[in-house]
Amino acid sequence: QVQLVESGGGLVQAGDSLRLSCQASGRTFSRDTMGWLRQVPGKERETVAAISGNGGSLYYGNSVNGRFTISRDNAKNTVYLQLNSLKPEDTAVYYCAAGPSFLLTAQQMGAQYNYGYWGQGTQVTVSS
């Protein structure tokens, strides 16, 4: 059974930083493309970052490029999202998701429907 467990969310002020973690189990983690997606109630889910199995391909959404950094440690079956210079509009539930290894282009990695496994989400709230 695939499990993705996020942690690290919380309430911070604008300009602060957070580091989200996602612990994976039940799959060959090192092969999967991993993504971080976020959702605000009433809005479509947005892919903010993704990383291929070996870390060679990266994707960042336009709204977070330059502020967020995705990384992974395959030895620990963990993917991270470093959130810097947080803004109130970054407030959302952040989900970790796993997708197949062939997700390598920006179009593929950015499409939420390509991810078949999801965590339960962690809330990030940024106050102004």
Side-chain angles (χ1 to χ4, degrees):
Q1 183 177 358
V2 177
Q3 278 197 319
L4 301 173
V5 180
E6 303 97 334
S7 61
L11 172 62
V12 297
Q13 293 187 330
D16 285 351
S17 297
L18 276 176
R19 188 194 198 200
L20 306 183
S21 300
C22 172
Q23 177 74 46
S25 61
R27 286 180 61 82
T28 307
F29 176 79
S30 62
R31 296 178 185 172
D32 287 344
T33 290
M34 299 297 297
W36 284 98
L37 298 89
R38 68 185 182 186
Q39 188 162 29
V40 176
K43 293 189 177 181
E44 189 174 334
R45 194 171 293 184
E46 173 191 11
T47 305
V48 296
I51 185 168
S52 62
N54 64 3
S57 294
L58 299 175
Y59 168 88
Y60 291 101
N62 290 336
S63 61
V64 305
N65 202 4
R67 299 188 297 121
F68 292 6
T69 303
I70 190 170
S71 61
R72 65 190 297 159
D73 185 340
N74 287 343
K76 296 182 179 179
N77 283 5
T78 302
V79 61
Y80 305 97
L81 186 67
Q82 179 69 38
L83 296 73
N84 295 331
S85 302
L86 282 161
K87 305 176 181 179
E89 51 263 43
D90 294 319
T91 296
V93 177
Y94 283 72
Y95 297 91
C96 171
S101 60
F102 59 77
L103 302 183
L104 297 175
T105 68
Q107 185 175 11
Q108 292 170 336
M109 298 172 88
Q112 58 160 315
Y113 53 78
N114 282 332
Y115 296 92
Y117 300 93
W118 296 79
Q120 82 289 350
T122 185
Q123 177 71 45
V124 172
T125 303
V126 185
S127 64
S128 58

